[in-house]
Amino acid sequence: MMRRPLGQPPMPLNGPRYNEFIQSPKVRVIDENGENLGVMYTREAMEQAAEVGLDLVEVSPNADPPVAKFLDVGKFKYESQKKANLARKSQKTQEIKEIKMRPNIDDHDYDTKMKKVHEFIEEGDKVKITLRFRGRELAHGQLGMQVLQRVQADIAEVAKVEQHPRMEGRQMLMVLAPK
């Protein structure tokens, strides 16, 4: 059975570098109270952090010199993970909802479809209106255009037209987005 050779522990794969994993020879150090201690050698800063009972954590690795702070690594990772989860939770993904109509749609059916369009727009989703033509209806494209213009006029105060009506095969499409 092979054993792992003694020596340095493996480099942390995720999260900030800390203590012996900091590769820069000099760092700008901030203590546990948030006071700037200035630029010093990494070894010296690690010793000072150990005296206080904390780790030296690289908080801004891209600065010149990198900024390191006296922190508890576990607590720092936990809090940053908690922030990331909260940001992901509050994020709203925008979906595209589809409403299908026909060129000779009746008034009540139209009103019902428009209620759903209003609901989707208020939720922050985009709405794709599809007008499907069958048989001889295809010869009367202007009827479909009138229906889509009516939709556009009815929804003008809450949504904007992201994609103007266009024919795609046997159907006419239009995409609405919330204002």
Side-chain angles (χ1 to χ4, degrees):
M1 183 163 98
M2 291 288 293
R3 288 189 179 183
R4 187 169 47 105
L6 296 176
Q8 239 182 2
M11 176 94 169
L13 297 174
N14 55 353
R17 288 189 282 232
Y18 58 94
N19 293 341
E20 63 272 357
F21 300 118
I22 298 176
Q23 295 167 346
S24 154
K26 286 187 177 183
V27 289
R28 181 174 304 280
V29 180
I30 298 171
D31 70 358
E32 68 276 7
N33 301 323
E35 293 179 33
N36 189 352
L37 300 180
V39 178
M40 59 176 70
Y41 289 103
T42 307
R43 290 271 170 233
E44 187 183 324
M46 279 174 23
E47 289 168 7
Q48 283 188 13
E51 286 174 15
V52 184
L54 296 171
D55 301 303
L56 183 68
V57 181
E58 201 174 38
V59 288
S60 180
N62 298 332
D64 187 34
V67 179
K69 204 170 188 178
F70 294 169
L71 295 170
D72 179 21
V73 170
K75 189 175 180 183
F76 182 71
K77 281 184 178 179
Y78 173 74
E79 286 175 355
S80 62
Q81 187 179 16
K82 208 170 175 183
K83 276 184 196 172
N85 287 345
L86 187 65
R88 192 175 17 243
K89 188 189 234 180
S90 64
Q91 192 176 47
K92 169 78 171 97
T93 57
Q94 195 174 47
E95 295 179 33
I96 295 184
K97 305 284 188 170
E98 186 173 16
I99 299 284
K100 293 185 178 179
M101 295 184 184
R102 298 286 308 280
N104 55 352
I105 190 168
D106 205 29
D107 287 337
H108 182 54
D109 295 336
Y110 174 81
D111 294 339
T112 307
K113 300 274 187 182
M114 287 310 291
K115 278 183 190 171
K116 288 307 275 182
V117 169
H118 277 282
E119 262 179 50
F120 293 147
I121 294 289
E122 285 169 14
E123 287 173 13
D125 295 324
K126 291 183 181 182
V127 180
K128 177 179 168 184
I129 310 262
T130 305
L131 220 67
R132 185 160 250 161
F133 293 93
R134 276 188 176 159
R136 292 187 190 143
E137 292 173 349
L138 207 53
H140 302 286
Q142 74 277 7
L143 291 176
M145 191 57 85
Q146 287 171 1
V147 172
L148 289 180
Q149 285 171 348
R150 181 177 168 195
V151 169
Q152 201 171 337
D154 290 348
I155 204 88
E157 64 273 355
V158 290
K160 62 180 184 279
V161 177
E162 190 173 87
Q163 200 174 68
H164 291 282
R166 71 175 201 282
M167 281 298 286
E168 239 180 50
R170 291 186 158 269
Q171 52 192 16
M172 194 176 274
L173 303 173
M174 178 171 76
V175 179
L176 304 170
K179 277 191 176 176

